[in-house]
Amino acid sequence: MPELRERHFGALQGVALADGPQQQPYAWHGYSQREPAHDLGGGESLLVFSARVHQALTRLAAEHHGQSILLVSHGGVLDMAYRLASGQPLTAPRTVPIPNAALNWLGVDAAQWSIIEWADQRHLAQSLDEL
């Protein structure tokens, strides 16, 4: 679903984190300060990104009422899903891990979202580590 793609970072798109402050100081300031309305120089603000993700999740919940569904997505999208279910504001720093290949279980009852389990990696215990 296009609505569950990662955030567009505008002027910071493709810029390494270490290079952001020097290459794009205006966009970097908005990003690093988590300014909800800042569009990062032509990208998506946190407000726009959050609304996009929340609308997609709400639509999926309505279309699959009473069912379990599996979504595979990106860290920023997962962060927005966590904030939707936990009530954590967009201005707050990320407080939970979002490890690769982890399972995150959310529930919705009427319009109330909840976190059932977050960052579950038990299924990876027996996987081979190539490092």
Side-chain angles (χ1 to χ4, degrees):
M1 291 179 62
E3 299 88 357
L4 296 177
R5 290 182 181 150
E6 188 59 278
R7 180 182 180 191
H8 189 287
F9 286 93
L12 294 173
Q13 196 80 16
V15 175
L17 286 175
D19 298 332
Q22 294 79 31
Q23 290 184 13
Q24 297 293 336
Y26 173 75
W28 181 260
H29 178 77
Y31 171 77
S32 65
Q33 298 302 307
R34 296 194 63 85
E35 295 175 5
H38 197 294
D39 75 355
L40 309 178
E44 285 180 293
S45 70
L46 280 170
L47 291 171
V48 169
F49 179 50
S50 174
R52 172 168 58 87
V53 172
H54 291 184
Q55 287 170 359
L57 294 177
T58 300
R59 188 181 92 226
L60 285 169
E63 290 173 354
H64 298 279
H65 181 74
Q67 299 175 323
S68 294
I69 61 172
L70 172 69
L71 301 176
V72 178
S73 198
H74 303 275
V77 172
L78 293 171
D79 180 40
M80 292 302 110
Y82 180 86
R83 289 169 192 275
L84 170 66
S86 71
Q88 183 182 35
L90 293 175
T91 54
R94 186 181 291 175
T95 60
V96 295
I98 302 179
N100 288 336
L103 300 175
N104 304 296
W105 299 86
L106 301 179
V108 63
D109 184 15
Q112 183 64 43
W113 289 86
S114 62
I115 298 166
I116 298 168
E117 189 164 356
W118 193 261
D120 178 8
Q121 294 180 288
R122 291 175 291 187
H123 61 288
L124 301 174
Q126 300 302 316
S127 54
L128 297 176
D129 187 350
E130 297 179 10
L131 296 177

